[in-house]
Amino acid sequence: MSKRIVVLISGSGTNLQALIDANFSDASICLVLSNRKAAYGLERARSCSPPIPTAYLALQPYLKSLPGHTRSDYDAEIAKLVLEAKPDVVVLAGWMHVLGESFLDLLKGVPVINLHPALPGEFDGTHSIERAFEAWKKGETTRSGCMVHRVVKEVDRGAPVLVREVPFQEGDTLESFETRLHAAEWEVIVEATRTVLADLKAFAT
Ligand SMILES: Nc1nc2c(c(=O)[nH]1)N[C@@H](CN(C=O)c1ccc(C(=O)N[C@@H](CCC(=O)O)C(=O)O)cc1)CN2
Ligand SMILES: NCC(=O)N[C@@H]1O[C@H](COP(=O)([O-])[O-])[C@@H](O)[C@H]1O
């Protein structure tokens, strides 16, 4: 029975594309969900043959359309969309929304993992690459990296599944470092997803 992967995105979807191109032998992407309508990752899913089902739900339009509803209600709605796809694993691949307990409680028992462009305990949150680059320029570090970690309430603090260091090189610009880091991400997200798929029971909290 083919295992089911749900991928959450917010942007260009190059990491989603890496998962699509991985052609997992025992799994397939059954839903791509975005919180941004213009996310090119939705087009990547629609362009597959056969197309991967997509869904879109943004926070602000949701709140505007349902007065009295909260961010927690939105997170629960996201969870319901995800669960309707019957996932074995959920991958946050550039999903730029912090998920609250209403999401995490509903997803109990389903591994949820996140790709983060920094090393454990460093540069949590957003703009991680830029912040690491500035730290290197100040002589505060010689490397950054990327990781896939389990998603818990505390942002980017879940147990790492896979970590990859990416050293800075003399003469690096932000763009040259980003190029190397994104290439590392495309490998790490596939390898980490394969690891979770291979031992779902171990990762199902
Ligand atoms: N409960 C968790 N939710 C999410 C995690 C997590 O570890 N636990 N990881 C993030 C992904 N991420 C970093 O890897 C991250 C994404 C976005 C933000 C953030 O501050 N988002 C703001 C909105 C920012 C924007 O819209 O540009 C917000 O949610 O209000 C922090 C970390 C995904 N979710
Ligand atoms: N904190 C989360 C975060 O910064 N995620 C980052 O968003 C980018 C998404 O790229 P993509 O849309 O091309 O896959 C990736 O670099 C990913 O690490």
Side-chain angles (χ1 to χ4, degrees), residues 86-104:
K86 298 181 175 22
D88 292 294
V89 60
V90 180
V91 186
L92 310 187
W95 170 258
M96 299 305 286
H97 173 87
V98 175
L99 292 162
E101 289 185 293
S102 58
F103 176 92
L104 299 170

Side-chain angles (χ1 to χ4, degrees), residues 36 71 92 95-99 104 114-117 125-126 149 151-157:
R36 294 180 186 166
R71 182 177 173 129
L92 310 187
W95 170 258
M96 299 305 286
H97 173 87
V98 175
L99 292 162
L104 299 170
N114 174 62
L115 171 70
H116 184 58
T126 57
H149 63 87
V151 172
V152 296
K153 182 181 170 194
E154 296 72 26
V155 175
D156 300 331
R157 289 301 167 118

